[in-house]
Amino acid sequence: METIDVCDLIAVERMIYNLELTLEEMQQQALLKGKLEGKLEAQQEIAKNLLLLNVDIDTIIKATGLSPEEINTLCRQLEN
């Protein structure tokens, strides 16, 4: 029967701990990414609605925080 070295057990435990930390960090990043994507989608929907109401682009930029390029892209999407 093979004996297990205490140093090997400590190394394995350390690897497991590091993997758990990495997994937790990845989950937090995924959650943050999802929140940011949801916020962007909401801003884009608001911008689309404002465009449909013929609100000027400068006001839409101020209201949503989107860039002029993003607003123009949304405008082109609405035209199609």
Side-chain angles (χ1 to χ4, degrees):
M1 186 164 130
E2 189 175 320
T3 60
I4 299 174
D5 188 351
V6 172
C7 291
D8 290 340
L9 285 175
I10 292 171
V12 168
E13 287 177 356
R14 184 174 291 132
M15 286 189 301
I16 291 170
Y17 175 76
N18 288 336
L19 287 171
E20 288 172 342
L21 286 179
T22 301
L23 178 60
E24 184 176 327
E25 183 179 322
M26 290 172 68
Q27 289 170 331
Q28 291 295 327
Q29 289 175 354
L31 181 62
L32 178 60
K33 181 181 177 187
K35 287 180 180 180
L36 291 174
E37 287 174 355
K39 183 178 178 183
L40 177 59
E41 287 176 13
Q43 290 170 319
Q44 290 172 337
E45 283 302 313
I46 292 168
K48 285 180 185 179
N49 290 335
L50 294 172
L51 285 167
L52 291 171
L53 293 170
N54 294 318
V55 174
D56 66 283
I57 302 237
D58 288 334
T59 302
I60 297 172
I61 291 168
K62 290 175 188 173
T64 63
L66 296 175
S67 70
E69 295 79 17
E70 290 170 309
I71 304 288
N72 288 328
T73 299
L74 294 173
C75 194
R76 285 191 300 274
Q77 288 174 0
L78 290 173
E79 291 171 355
N80 293 333

